[in-house]
Amino acid sequence: NAGVTQTPKFQVLKTGQSMTLQCAQDMNHEYMSWYRQDPGMGLRLIHYSVGAGITDQGEVPNGYNVSRSTTEDFPLRLLSAAPSQTSVYFCASSRLAGIGTSSYEQYFGPGTRLTVT
Amino acid sequence: TQLLEQSPQFLSIQEGENLTVYCNSSSVFSSLQWYRQEPGEGPVLLVTVVTGGEVKKLKRLTFQFGDARKDSSLHITAAQPGDTGLYLCAGARYGGATNKLIFGTGTLLAVQP
């Protein structure tokens, strides 16, 4: 299993450009999420999906779009890049922590380091 | 609003020392997880604790969930350079989607040989 894969690993954009961050998982997890990680801010949830065709907003959704057409793929689109979107982006897929629990454990990809100038 | 506060933020110790990292909140969580993140990589799950007062051990790492389910601690015995990394706690809140975790700001640990 490759787990969770993300491409590209590094990206530099100019203000106003758009791009798509790719995320794929081969663990057949229903839940997938996108986070951004900034110094001193921890990981913040951007968007998440509970299954193909279903997405919802997280804590910081503005400026980002997502779609989930298959269980495996969950791309994140930046509509018009801004310097405030300079960050490290992580995709994660989730599974239940165990029988009898409602907690989900996250499996993260290696991240995409995005710089917007 | 940061619901999960971790302390200390930074910790630099010598190999062989013991240490404890704390994760505190005024909110109650249905479960709490600990992750370790190495430079240039994504966080990796270490443990999930779901019962108030629960203690779990993973080799030299001991995790405890507070009785009131508002806090957690991670204790490392005889730290090794391989323990170096960013330690993150993450809580799942009652009443919300359990897939939506609240992450702490992290504790950056450096273990010097």
mmCIF file of all heavy atoms in Angstrom, chain A residues 9 31-33 35 37 40-43 45 48-49 57-58 90 94 97 101-106 108-110 113, chain B residues 1-2 30-31 33 35 37 39-45 47-48 50 86 88 92 97-101 103-105:
data_model
loop_
_atom_site.group_PDB
_atom_site.id
_atom_site.type_symbol
_atom_site.label_atom_id
_atom_site.label_comp_id
_atom_site.label_asym_id
_atom_site.label_seq_id
_atom_site.Cartn_x
_atom_site.Cartn_y
_atom_site.Cartn_z
ATOM 1 N N LYS A 9 5.131 18.091 -4.416
ATOM 2 C CA LYS A 9 5.740 18.225 -3.096
ATOM 3 C C LYS A 9 6.079 19.690 -2.803
ATOM 4 O O LYS A 9 6.009 20.128 -1.661
ATOM 5 C CB LYS A 9 7.004 17.384 -3.002
ATOM 6 C CG LYS A 9 7.491 17.176 -1.573
ATOM 7 C CD LYS A 9 8.488 16.048 -1.484
ATOM 8 C CE LYS A 9 8.940 15.824 -0.051
ATOM 9 N NZ LYS A 9 7.830 15.412 0.816
ATOM 10 N N TYR A 31 -13.428 8.585 4.843
ATOM 11 C CA TYR A 31 -13.180 9.959 5.275
ATOM 12 C C TYR A 31 -11.846 10.464 4.754
ATOM 13 O O TYR A 31 -10.831 9.778 4.849
ATOM 14 C CB TYR A 31 -13.142 10.043 6.806
ATOM 15 C CG TYR A 31 -14.480 9.966 7.480
ATOM 16 C CD1 TYR A 31 -15.283 8.841 7.359
ATOM 17 C CD2 TYR A 31 -14.938 11.016 8.253
ATOM 18 C CE1 TYR A 31 -16.510 8.761 7.979
ATOM 19 C CE2 TYR A 31 -16.165 10.946 8.891
ATOM 20 C CZ TYR A 31 -16.943 9.819 8.751
ATOM 21 O OH TYR A 31 -18.149 9.747 9.374
ATOM 22 N N MET A 32 -11.863 11.684 4.212
ATOM 23 C CA MET A 32 -10.627 12.350 3.828
ATOM 24 C C MET A 32 -10.714 13.819 4.217
ATOM 25 O O MET A 32 -11.809 14.394 4.293
ATOM 26 C CB MET A 32 -10.373 12.215 2.320
ATOM 27 C CG MET A 32 -10.158 10.773 1.878
ATOM 28 S SD MET A 32 -9.681 10.629 0.144
ATOM 29 C CE MET A 32 -7.971 11.208 0.194
ATOM 30 N N SER A 33 -9.544 14.417 4.470
ATOM 31 C CA SER A 33 -9.500 15.799 4.960
ATOM 32 C C SER A 33 -8.305 16.529 4.361
ATOM 33 O O SER A 33 -7.317 15.897 3.984
ATOM 34 C CB SER A 33 -9.358 15.826 6.492
ATOM 35 O OG SER A 33 -10.311 15.017 7.136
ATOM 36 N N TYR A 35 -5.739 19.774 5.505
ATOM 37 C CA TYR A 35 -5.295 20.671 6.559
ATOM 38 C C TYR A 35 -4.213 21.591 5.996
ATOM 39 O O TYR A 35 -3.508 21.256 5.055
ATOM 40 C CB TYR A 35 -4.668 19.895 7.719
ATOM 41 C CG TYR A 35 -5.603 19.001 8.487
ATOM 42 C CD1 TYR A 35 -5.855 17.696 8.072
ATOM 43 C CD2 TYR A 35 -6.212 19.444 9.663
ATOM 44 C CE1 TYR A 35 -6.685 16.873 8.793
ATOM 45 C CE2 TYR A 35 -7.046 18.621 10.392
ATOM 46 C CZ TYR A 35 -7.277 17.338 9.951
ATOM 47 O OH TYR A 35 -8.109 16.518 10.667
ATOM 48 N N GLN A 37 -0.823 23.749 7.664
ATOM 49 C CA GLN A 37 0.004 23.853 8.868
ATOM 50 C C GLN A 37 0.859 25.097 8.767
ATOM 51 O O GLN A 37 1.662 25.242 7.836
ATOM 52 C CB GLN A 37 0.895 22.617 9.040
ATOM 53 C CG GLN A 37 1.669 22.599 10.346
ATOM 54 C CD GLN A 37 2.425 21.291 10.550
ATOM 55 O OE1 GLN A 37 2.943 20.704 9.608
ATOM 56 N NE2 GLN A 37 2.479 20.824 11.791
ATOM 57 N N GLY A 40 3.201 28.027 14.688
ATOM 58 C CA GLY A 40 2.472 28.546 15.837
ATOM 59 C C GLY A 40 0.969 28.366 15.774
ATOM 60 O O GLY A 40 0.261 28.750 16.706
ATOM 61 N N MET A 41 0.467 27.808 14.660
ATOM 62 C CA MET A 41 -0.989 27.673 14.505
ATOM 63 C C MET A 41 -1.432 26.218 14.527
ATOM 64 O O MET A 41 -2.617 25.928 14.539
ATOM 65 C CB MET A 41 -1.428 28.303 13.175
ATOM 66 C CG MET A 41 -1.073 29.759 13.033
ATOM 67 S SD MET A 41 -2.039 30.794 14.131
ATOM 68 C CE MET A 41 -3.644 30.678 13.373
ATOM 69 N N GLY A 42 -0.508 25.309 14.470
ATOM 70 C CA GLY A 42 -0.889 23.903 14.420
ATOM 71 C C GLY A 42 -1.525 23.534 13.092
ATOM 72 O O GLY A 42 -1.364 24.239 12.088
ATOM 73 N N LEU A 43 -2.266 22.467 13.082
ATOM 74 C CA LEU A 43 -2.965 22.004 11.889
ATOM 75 C C LEU A 43 -4.399 22.515 11.926
ATOM 76 O O LEU A 43 -5.100 22.324 12.918
ATOM 77 C CB LEU A 43 -2.976 20.476 11.832
ATOM 78 C CG LEU A 43 -1.665 19.814 11.421
ATOM 79 C CD1 LEU A 43 -1.614 18.394 11.926
ATOM 80 C CD2 LEU A 43 -1.513 19.849 9.918
ATOM 81 N N LEU A 45 -8.149 22.589 9.867
ATOM 82 C CA LEU A 45 -8.932 21.856 8.881
ATOM 83 C C LEU A 45 -9.508 22.810 7.841
ATOM 84 O O LEU A 45 -10.166 23.794 8.184
ATOM 85 C CB LEU A 45 -10.061 21.104 9.595
ATOM 86 C CG LEU A 45 -10.969 20.242 8.741
ATOM 87 C CD1 LEU A 45 -10.201 19.084 8.123
ATOM 88 C CD2 LEU A 45 -12.130 19.709 9.585
ATOM 89 N N TYR A 48 -13.352 18.764 4.406
ATOM 90 C CA TYR A 48 -13.317 17.334 4.601
ATOM 91 C C TYR A 48 -14.453 16.670 3.829
ATOM 92 O O TYR A 48 -15.375 17.348 3.353
ATOM 93 C CB TYR A 48 -13.381 16.977 6.094
ATOM 94 C CG TYR A 48 -14.689 17.299 6.772
ATOM 95 C CD1 TYR A 48 -15.641 16.310 7.004
ATOM 96 C CD2 TYR A 48 -14.968 18.591 7.207
ATOM 97 C CE1 TYR A 48 -16.835 16.601 7.638
ATOM 98 C CE2 TYR A 48 -16.161 18.893 7.837
ATOM 99 C CZ TYR A 48 -17.088 17.892 8.059
ATOM 100 O OH TYR A 48 -18.271 18.191 8.676
ATOM 101 N N SER A 49 -14.343 15.350 3.713
ATOM 102 C CA SER A 49 -15.332 14.579 2.973
ATOM 103 C C SER A 49 -15.610 13.276 3.705
ATOM 104 O O SER A 49 -14.684 12.601 4.158
ATOM 105 C CB SER A 49 -14.810 14.272 1.561
ATOM 106 O OG SER A 49 -15.630 13.334 0.913
ATOM 107 N N GLN A 57 -17.248 22.056 4.860
ATOM 108 C CA GLN A 57 -16.211 23.017 5.218
ATOM 109 C C GLN A 57 -15.641 22.726 6.590
ATOM 110 O O GLN A 57 -16.335 22.268 7.488
ATOM 111 C CB GLN A 57 -16.801 24.433 5.206
ATOM 112 C CG GLN A 57 -17.254 24.882 3.839
ATOM 113 C CD GLN A 57 -17.804 26.306 3.861
ATOM 114 O OE1 GLN A 57 -18.012 26.881 4.921
ATOM 115 N NE2 GLN A 57 -18.030 26.867 2.697
ATOM 116 N N GLY A 58 -14.359 23.054 6.722
ATOM 117 C CA GLY A 58 -13.715 22.971 8.012
ATOM 118 C C GLY A 58 -13.587 24.342 8.631
ATOM 119 O O GLY A 58 -14.453 25.200 8.461
ATOM 120 N N PHE A 90 -1.544 19.421 4.092
ATOM 121 C CA PHE A 90 -1.567 17.981 4.308
ATOM 122 C C PHE A 90 -2.945 17.431 4.002
ATOM 123 O O PHE A 90 -3.966 17.977 4.418
ATOM 124 C CB PHE A 90 -1.205 17.645 5.762
ATOM 125 C CG PHE A 90 0.235 17.877 6.088
ATOM 126 C CD1 PHE A 90 0.630 19.023 6.755
ATOM 127 C CD2 PHE A 90 1.197 16.942 5.731
ATOM 128 C CE1 PHE A 90 1.961 19.246 7.058
ATOM 129 C CE2 PHE A 90 2.532 17.156 6.021
ATOM 130 C CZ PHE A 90 2.914 18.314 6.683
ATOM 131 N N SER A 94 -8.989 8.749 6.883
ATOM 132 C CA SER A 94 -9.291 8.345 8.259
ATOM 133 C C SER A 94 -10.029 7.027 8.305
ATOM 134 O O SER A 94 -10.805 6.693 7.403
ATOM 135 C CB SER A 94 -10.165 9.396 8.942
ATOM 136 O OG SER A 94 -9.633 10.684 8.784
ATOM 137 N N ALA A 97 -11.021 4.198 14.966
ATOM 138 C CA ALA A 97 -9.920 3.783 15.838
ATOM 139 C C ALA A 97 -10.075 2.335 16.291
ATOM 140 O O ALA A 97 -9.100 1.681 16.630
ATOM 141 C CB ALA A 97 -9.831 4.713 17.042
ATOM 142 N N THR A 101 -15.812 2.223 19.208
ATOM 143 C CA THR A 101 -15.453 3.629 19.369
ATOM 144 C C THR A 101 -15.938 4.415 18.166
ATOM 145 O O THR A 101 -16.068 3.861 17.070
ATOM 146 C CB THR A 101 -13.936 3.811 19.519
ATOM 147 O OG1 THR A 101 -13.653 5.219 19.588
ATOM 148 C CG2 THR A 101 -13.168 3.224 18.351
ATOM 149 N N SER A 102 -16.194 5.688 18.386
ATOM 150 C CA SER A 102 -16.596 6.552 17.278
ATOM 151 C C SER A 102 -15.452 7.459 16.853
ATOM 152 O O SER A 102 -15.635 8.377 16.073
ATOM 153 C CB SER A 102 -17.804 7.396 17.677
ATOM 154 O OG SER A 102 -17.482 8.180 18.816
ATOM 155 N N SER A 103 -14.260 7.225 17.377
ATOM 156 C CA SER A 103 -13.103 8.063 17.069
ATOM 157 C C SER A 103 -12.430 7.579 15.789
ATOM 158 O O SER A 103 -12.319 6.386 15.542
ATOM 159 C CB SER A 103 -12.098 8.013 18.211
ATOM 160 O OG SER A 103 -12.664 8.543 19.376
ATOM 161 N N TYR A 104 -11.956 8.570 15.014
ATOM 162 C CA TYR A 104 -11.282 8.277 13.758
ATOM 163 C C TYR A 104 -9.802 8.619 13.860
ATOM 164 O O TYR A 104 -9.428 9.643 14.422
ATOM 165 C CB TYR A 104 -11.922 9.069 12.608
ATOM 166 C CG TYR A 104 -13.221 8.472 12.153
ATOM 167 C CD1 TYR A 104 -14.403 8.719 12.836
ATOM 168 C CD2 TYR A 104 -13.272 7.643 11.036
ATOM 169 C CE1 TYR A 104 -15.597 8.159 12.428
ATOM 170 C CE2 TYR A 104 -14.469 7.072 10.619
ATOM 171 C CZ TYR A 104 -15.626 7.341 11.323
ATOM 172 O OH TYR A 104 -16.798 6.789 10.915
ATOM 173 N N GLU A 105 -8.975 7.764 13.292
ATOM 174 C CA GLU A 105 -7.536 7.967 13.259
ATOM 175 C C GLU A 105 -7.141 8.453 11.869
ATOM 176 O O GLU A 105 -7.634 7.942 10.864
ATOM 177 C CB GLU A 105 -6.800 6.668 13.588
ATOM 178 C CG GLU A 105 -7.155 6.133 14.957
ATOM 179 C CD GLU A 105 -6.546 4.786 15.235
ATOM 180 O OE1 GLU A 105 -6.241 4.055 14.281
ATOM 181 O OE2 GLU A 105 -6.395 4.456 16.424
ATOM 182 N N GLN A 106 -6.259 9.462 11.847
ATOM 183 C CA GLN A 106 -5.893 10.092 10.594
ATOM 184 C C GLN A 106 -4.560 9.552 10.079
ATOM 185 O O GLN A 106 -3.615 9.369 10.847
ATOM 186 C CB GLN A 106 -5.757 11.604 10.798
ATOM 187 C CG GLN A 106 -6.919 12.258 11.501
ATOM 188 C CD GLN A 106 -7.788 13.075 10.577
ATOM 189 O OE1 GLN A 106 -7.428 13.322 9.447
ATOM 190 N NE2 GLN A 106 -8.942 13.506 11.060
ATOM 191 N N PHE A 108 -1.789 10.665 7.357
ATOM 192 C CA PHE A 108 -1.415 11.856 6.601
ATOM 193 C C PHE A 108 -0.498 11.535 5.428
ATOM 194 O O PHE A 108 0.320 10.618 5.491
ATOM 195 C CB PHE A 108 -0.702 12.860 7.513
ATOM 196 C CG PHE A 108 -1.611 13.564 8.476
ATOM 197 C CD1 PHE A 108 -1.905 13.012 9.710
ATOM 198 C CD2 PHE A 108 -2.170 14.788 8.144
ATOM 199 C CE1 PHE A 108 -2.749 13.657 10.599
ATOM 200 C CE2 PHE A 108 -3.010 15.450 9.027
ATOM 201 C CZ PHE A 108 -3.304 14.874 10.252
ATOM 202 N N GLY A 109 -0.632 12.344 4.381
ATOM 203 C CA GLY A 109 0.322 12.324 3.291
ATOM 204 C C GLY A 109 1.572 13.103 3.658
ATOM 205 O O GLY A 109 1.655 13.676 4.748
ATOM 206 N N PRO A 110 2.560 13.162 2.743
ATOM 207 C CA PRO A 110 3.839 13.826 3.042
ATOM 208 C C PRO A 110 3.778 15.342 2.957
ATOM 209 O O PRO A 110 4.735 16.013 3.353
ATOM 210 C CB PRO A 110 4.775 13.259 1.974
ATOM 211 C CG PRO A 110 3.868 12.920 0.840
ATOM 212 C CD PRO A 110 2.572 12.478 1.453
ATOM 213 N N ARG A 113 4.374 21.805 -0.009
ATOM 214 C CA ARG A 113 4.847 23.095 0.480
ATOM 215 C C ARG A 113 4.601 24.155 -0.572
ATOM 216 O O ARG A 113 5.231 24.128 -1.629
ATOM 217 C CB ARG A 113 6.327 22.998 0.851
ATOM 218 C CG ARG A 113 6.526 22.296 2.160
ATOM 219 C CD ARG A 113 7.752 21.392 2.172
ATOM 220 N NE ARG A 113 7.756 20.572 3.372
ATOM 221 C CZ ARG A 113 7.074 19.430 3.519
ATOM 222 N NH1 ARG A 113 6.372 18.955 2.506
ATOM 223 N NH2 ARG A 113 7.100 18.768 4.641
ATOM 224 N N THR B 1 -9.709 30.536 17.960
ATOM 225 C CA THR B 1 -9.568 30.114 19.356
ATOM 226 C C THR B 1 -8.874 28.757 19.405
ATOM 227 O O THR B 1 -9.312 27.807 18.765
ATOM 228 C CB THR B 1 -10.944 29.993 20.036
ATOM 229 O OG1 THR B 1 -11.620 31.228 19.951
ATOM 230 C CG2 THR B 1 -10.742 29.590 21.493
ATOM 231 N N GLN B 2 -7.741 28.709 20.152
ATOM 232 C CA GLN B 2 -7.002 27.467 20.281
ATOM 233 C C GLN B 2 -7.562 26.714 21.459
ATOM 234 O O GLN B 2 -7.440 27.115 22.602
ATOM 235 C CB GLN B 2 -5.513 27.775 20.487
ATOM 236 C CG GLN B 2 -4.647 26.541 20.527
ATOM 237 C CD GLN B 2 -4.808 25.660 19.288
ATOM 238 O OE1 GLN B 2 -5.340 24.564 19.359
ATOM 239 N NE2 GLN B 2 -4.364 26.168 18.163
ATOM 240 N N SER B 30 -14.180 13.484 23.444
ATOM 241 C CA SER B 30 -14.589 12.084 23.453
ATOM 242 C C SER B 30 -13.377 11.160 23.312
ATOM 243 O O SER B 30 -13.426 10.013 23.757
ATOM 244 C CB SER B 30 -15.586 11.824 22.326
ATOM 245 O OG SER B 30 -14.982 12.074 21.057
ATOM 246 N N SER B 31 -12.342 11.643 22.692
ATOM 247 C CA SER B 31 -11.101 10.879 22.570
ATOM 248 C C SER B 31 -9.968 11.843 22.283
ATOM 249 O O SER B 31 -10.199 12.998 21.902
ATOM 250 C CB SER B 31 -11.195 9.842 21.442
ATOM 251 O OG SER B 31 -11.280 10.492 20.182
ATOM 252 N N GLN B 33 -5.849 11.960 20.592
ATOM 253 C CA GLN B 33 -4.802 11.258 19.873
ATOM 254 C C GLN B 33 -3.489 12.020 19.979
ATOM 255 O O GLN B 33 -3.478 13.243 20.159
ATOM 256 C CB GLN B 33 -5.193 11.106 18.394
ATOM 257 C CG GLN B 33 -6.455 10.290 18.204
ATOM 258 C CD GLN B 33 -6.970 10.331 16.784
ATOM 259 O OE1 GLN B 33 -6.426 11.018 15.917
ATOM 260 N NE2 GLN B 33 -8.031 9.593 16.525
ATOM 261 N N TYR B 35 0.231 12.441 17.877
ATOM 262 C CA TYR B 35 0.956 12.238 16.630
ATOM 263 C C TYR B 35 2.393 12.735 16.798
ATOM 264 O O TYR B 35 2.662 13.633 17.592
ATOM 265 C CB TYR B 35 0.312 13.031 15.478
ATOM 266 C CG TYR B 35 -1.072 12.579 15.088
ATOM 267 C CD1 TYR B 35 -2.188 12.964 15.823
ATOM 268 C CD2 TYR B 35 -1.263 11.771 13.970
ATOM 269 C CE1 TYR B 35 -3.466 12.553 15.457
ATOM 270 C CE2 TYR B 35 -2.537 11.354 13.591
ATOM 271 C CZ TYR B 35 -3.622 11.753 14.336
ATOM 272 O OH TYR B 35 -4.887 11.349 13.970
ATOM 273 N N GLN B 37 5.561 14.184 14.277
ATOM 274 C CA GLN B 37 5.863 14.652 12.928
ATOM 275 C C GLN B 37 7.353 14.941 12.826
ATOM 276 O O GLN B 37 7.897 15.692 13.634
ATOM 277 C CB GLN B 37 5.060 15.920 12.613
ATOM 278 C CG GLN B 37 5.256 16.448 11.212
ATOM 279 C CD GLN B 37 4.398 17.670 10.945
ATOM 280 O OE1 GLN B 37 3.917 18.344 11.858
ATOM 281 N NE2 GLN B 37 4.190 17.983 9.680
ATOM 282 N N PRO B 39 10.650 16.347 10.406
ATOM 283 C CA PRO B 39 10.812 17.425 9.414
ATOM 284 C C PRO B 39 10.550 16.939 7.991
ATOM 285 O O PRO B 39 11.056 15.896 7.576
ATOM 286 C CB PRO B 39 12.274 17.843 9.602
ATOM 287 C CG PRO B 39 12.589 17.493 11.013
ATOM 288 C CD PRO B 39 11.824 16.239 11.300
ATOM 289 N N GLY B 40 9.722 17.693 7.266
ATOM 290 C CA GLY B 40 9.452 17.378 5.875
ATOM 291 C C GLY B 40 8.471 16.254 5.650
ATOM 292 O O GLY B 40 8.269 15.828 4.505
ATOM 293 N N GLU B 41 7.836 15.781 6.721
ATOM 294 C CA GLU B 41 6.898 14.668 6.589
ATOM 295 C C GLU B 41 5.567 15.010 7.244
ATOM 296 O O GLU B 41 5.443 15.992 7.968
ATOM 297 C CB GLU B 41 7.487 13.404 7.213
ATOM 298 C CG GLU B 41 8.780 12.959 6.549
ATOM 299 C CD GLU B 41 9.323 11.681 7.165
ATOM 300 O OE1 GLU B 41 8.623 11.068 7.987
ATOM 301 O OE2 GLU B 41 10.458 11.311 6.801
ATOM 302 N N GLY B 42 4.572 14.166 6.992
ATOM 303 C CA GLY B 42 3.284 14.352 7.636
ATOM 304 C C GLY B 42 3.266 13.724 9.011
ATOM 305 O O GLY B 42 4.102 12.870 9.334
ATOM 306 N N PRO B 43 2.319 14.143 9.868
ATOM 307 C CA PRO B 43 2.201 13.549 11.198
ATOM 308 C C PRO B 43 1.876 12.064 11.109
ATOM 309 O O PRO B 43 1.169 11.625 10.207
ATOM 310 C CB PRO B 43 1.027 14.322 11.823
ATOM 311 C CG PRO B 43 0.937 15.592 11.048
ATOM 312 C CD PRO B 43 1.350 15.238 9.660
ATOM 313 N N VAL B 44 2.393 11.312 12.084
ATOM 314 C CA VAL B 44 2.146 9.874 12.161
ATOM 315 C C VAL B 44 1.483 9.581 13.490
ATOM 316 O O VAL B 44 1.965 10.005 14.546
ATOM 317 C CB VAL B 44 3.460 9.073 12.037
ATOM 318 C CG1 VAL B 44 3.194 7.586 12.242
ATOM 319 C CG2 VAL B 44 4.099 9.311 10.671
ATOM 320 N N LEU B 45 0.379 8.857 13.450
ATOM 321 C CA LEU B 45 -0.374 8.545 14.650
ATOM 322 C C LEU B 45 0.425 7.637 15.578
ATOM 323 O O LEU B 45 0.990 6.624 15.158
ATOM 324 C CB LEU B 45 -1.687 7.857 14.277
ATOM 325 C CG LEU B 45 -2.579 7.431 15.438
ATOM 326 C CD1 LEU B 45 -3.134 8.659 16.156
ATOM 327 C CD2 LEU B 45 -3.721 6.555 14.952
ATOM 328 N N VAL B 47 -0.971 7.082 19.129
ATOM 329 C CA VAL B 47 -1.923 6.415 20.006
ATOM 330 C C VAL B 47 -3.251 7.159 20.012
ATOM 331 O O VAL B 47 -3.305 8.361 19.726
ATOM 332 C CB VAL B 47 -1.355 6.349 21.445
ATOM 333 C CG1 VAL B 47 -1.475 7.700 22.132
ATOM 334 C CG2 VAL B 47 -2.013 5.263 22.278
ATOM 335 N N THR B 48 -4.313 6.432 20.341
ATOM 336 C CA THR B 48 -5.628 7.009 20.604
ATOM 337 C C THR B 48 -6.062 6.575 21.990
ATOM 338 O O THR B 48 -6.001 5.384 22.310
ATOM 339 C CB THR B 48 -6.666 6.527 19.579
ATOM 340 O OG1 THR B 48 -6.247 6.908 18.260
ATOM 341 C CG2 THR B 48 -8.030 7.139 19.859
ATOM 342 N N VAL B 50 -9.363 6.795 24.672
ATOM 343 C CA VAL B 50 -10.803 7.060 24.569
ATOM 344 C C VAL B 50 -11.518 7.061 25.912
ATOM 345 O O VAL B 50 -12.647 7.530 26.008
ATOM 346 C CB VAL B 50 -11.497 6.045 23.639
ATOM 347 C CG1 VAL B 50 -10.940 6.153 22.225
ATOM 348 C CG2 VAL B 50 -11.344 4.632 24.153
ATOM 349 N N LEU B 86 8.194 16.807 16.208
ATOM 350 C CA LEU B 86 7.101 17.642 16.692
ATOM 351 C C LEU B 86 5.992 16.718 17.174
ATOM 352 O O LEU B 86 5.499 15.881 16.416
ATOM 353 C CB LEU B 86 6.592 18.549 15.572
ATOM 354 C CG LEU B 86 5.411 19.459 15.904
ATOM 355 C CD1 LEU B 86 5.833 20.528 16.905
ATOM 356 C CD2 LEU B 86 4.860 20.106 14.634
ATOM 357 N N LEU B 88 2.205 16.289 18.468
ATOM 358 C CA LEU B 88 0.918 16.966 18.368
ATOM 359 C C LEU B 88 -0.154 16.154 19.069
ATOM 360 O O LEU B 88 -0.245 14.939 18.867
ATOM 361 C CB LEU B 88 0.512 17.121 16.897
ATOM 362 C CG LEU B 88 1.402 17.990 16.016
ATOM 363 C CD1 LEU B 88 1.153 17.688 14.550
ATOM 364 C CD2 LEU B 88 1.138 19.462 16.287
ATOM 365 N N ALA B 92 -11.072 14.929 19.693
ATOM 366 C CA ALA B 92 -12.366 14.851 19.013
ATOM 367 C C ALA B 92 -13.418 15.327 19.997
ATOM 368 O O ALA B 92 -13.518 14.800 21.109
ATOM 369 C CB ALA B 92 -12.654 13.420 18.568
ATOM 370 N N ALA B 97 -18.726 16.038 14.329
ATOM 371 C CA ALA B 97 -18.276 14.899 13.537
ATOM 372 C C ALA B 97 -16.955 14.405 14.103
ATOM 373 O O ALA B 97 -16.018 15.165 14.244
ATOM 374 C CB ALA B 97 -18.107 15.315 12.081
ATOM 375 N N THR B 98 -16.901 13.149 14.450
ATOM 376 C CA THR B 98 -15.689 12.661 15.108
ATOM 377 C C THR B 98 -14.493 12.642 14.177
ATOM 378 O O THR B 98 -13.378 12.439 14.617
ATOM 379 C CB THR B 98 -15.918 11.252 15.662
ATOM 380 O OG1 THR B 98 -16.397 10.429 14.596
ATOM 381 C CG2 THR B 98 -16.936 11.276 16.779
ATOM 382 N N ASN B 99 -14.718 12.876 12.894
ATOM 383 C CA ASN B 99 -13.581 12.985 12.012
ATOM 384 C C ASN B 99 -12.935 14.360 12.091
ATOM 385 O O ASN B 99 -11.839 14.562 11.605
ATOM 386 C CB ASN B 99 -14.008 12.716 10.574
ATOM 387 C CG ASN B 99 -12.828 12.604 9.640
ATOM 388 O OD1 ASN B 99 -11.881 11.900 9.922
ATOM 389 N ND2 ASN B 99 -12.864 13.337 8.546
ATOM 390 N N LYS B 100 -13.620 15.339 12.689
ATOM 391 C CA LYS B 100 -13.090 16.681 12.788
ATOM 392 C C LYS B 100 -12.324 16.810 14.092
ATOM 393 O O LYS B 100 -12.897 16.954 15.160
ATOM 394 C CB LYS B 100 -14.217 17.700 12.724
ATOM 395 C CG LYS B 100 -14.929 17.720 11.373
ATOM 396 C CD LYS B 100 -16.122 18.640 11.366
ATOM 397 C CE LYS B 100 -15.718 20.087 11.447
ATOM 398 N NZ LYS B 100 -16.906 20.980 11.308
ATOM 399 N N LEU B 101 -11.006 16.752 13.974
ATOM 400 C CA LEU B 101 -10.144 16.839 15.133
ATOM 401 C C LEU B 101 -9.683 18.269 15.360
ATOM 402 O O LEU B 101 -9.483 19.023 14.407
ATOM 403 C CB LEU B 101 -8.912 15.946 14.950
ATOM 404 C CG LEU B 101 -9.147 14.442 14.871
ATOM 405 C CD1 LEU B 101 -7.831 13.728 14.593
ATOM 406 C CD2 LEU B 101 -9.769 13.935 16.157
ATOM 407 N N PHE B 103 -6.481 20.206 16.678
ATOM 408 C CA PHE B 103 -5.070 19.946 16.932
ATOM 409 C C PHE B 103 -4.475 20.996 17.854
ATOM 410 O O PHE B 103 -4.807 22.185 17.769
ATOM 411 C CB PHE B 103 -4.276 19.931 15.627
ATOM 412 C CG PHE B 103 -4.361 18.629 14.888
ATOM 413 C CD1 PHE B 103 -5.425 18.368 14.040
ATOM 414 C CD2 PHE B 103 -3.391 17.655 15.055
ATOM 415 C CE1 PHE B 103 -5.514 17.165 13.363
ATOM 416 C CE2 PHE B 103 -3.468 16.444 14.380
ATOM 417 C CZ PHE B 103 -4.531 16.198 13.538
ATOM 418 N N GLY B 104 -3.587 20.546 18.726
ATOM 419 C CA GLY B 104 -2.793 21.469 19.519
ATOM 420 C C GLY B 104 -1.693 22.082 18.663
ATOM 421 O O GLY B 104 -1.462 21.664 17.531
ATOM 422 N N THR B 105 -0.994 23.065 19.221
ATOM 423 C CA THR B 105 0.048 23.776 18.475
ATOM 424 C C THR B 105 1.360 23.002 18.431
ATOM 425 O O THR B 105 2.247 23.331 17.674
ATOM 426 C CB THR B 105 0.305 25.160 19.061
ATOM 427 O OG1 THR B 105 0.519 25.027 20.464
ATOM 428 C CG2 THR B 105 -0.869 26.087 18.802
#
